[in-house]
Amino acid sequence: MKKWIEELQDQPWSKKAKANDQPGFNWALNKTAGQVDLYLLPQAAFPSGGLYFKNKTWVEDTKGKHAIIHNNYIVGFEKKIQRFRDFGLWLVDEHSNESPLGKL
């Protein structure tokens, strides 16, 4: 994670320039390849956007097993947020004024 942050800080990322942190992640991973263990995550818990957002039957069959939905197979920051909202997965706005201690 530290290497990824360093890569992002070295690049001209900005929302205006259609920021994409994936290249920074890829570069950091390549530079630390011998220091990191890689594992294949279970698909039911960590589905891709291509599976989750396009296969209602699979979503229903695996209901309750999803930990993180990868919002890929769509381009654009705002489009990703809108798709999460459309599927009831965007919870940031509704809870942005709360903390574990109560309302801010």
Side-chain angles (χ1 to χ4, degrees):
M1 294 303 294
K2 289 179 185 178
K3 193 63 177 164
W4 188 9
I5 291 168
E6 290 172 14
E7 290 295 332
L8 292 175
Q9 290 171 339
D10 289 343
Q11 300 301 317
W13 308 115
S14 73
K15 189 174 178 181
K16 184 178 177 183
K18 299 188 179 196
N20 179 358
D21 62 358
Q22 188 68 52
F25 176 79
N26 294 346
W27 293 323
L29 188 58
N30 285 333
K31 289 179 179 178
T32 59
Q35 305 164 25
V36 204
D37 293 327
L38 301 176
Y39 298 94
L40 183 60
L41 299 172
Q43 189 175 45
F46 303 95
S48 72
L51 178 60
Y52 186 89
F53 297 112
K54 296 181 181 182
N55 190 330
K56 291 179 185 178
T57 303
W58 182 89
V59 171
E60 195 59 38
D61 290 347
T62 58
K63 189 172 184 173
K65 297 179 180 179
H66 313 135
I68 296 175
I69 313 302
H70 190 177
N71 201 354
N72 58 349
Y73 291 91
I74 189 171
V75 177
F77 184 74
E78 296 301 328
K79 288 180 182 178
K80 288 175 184 257
I81 291 173
Q82 187 58 52
R83 182 164 70 175
F84 269 164
R85 283 186 175 130
D86 293 345
F87 280 80
L89 299 171
W90 187 259
L91 307 174
V92 177
D93 296 336
E94 292 82 3
H95 304 287
S96 60
N97 293 326
E98 298 178 13
S99 79
L101 304 174
K103 289 261 183 194
L104 297 175

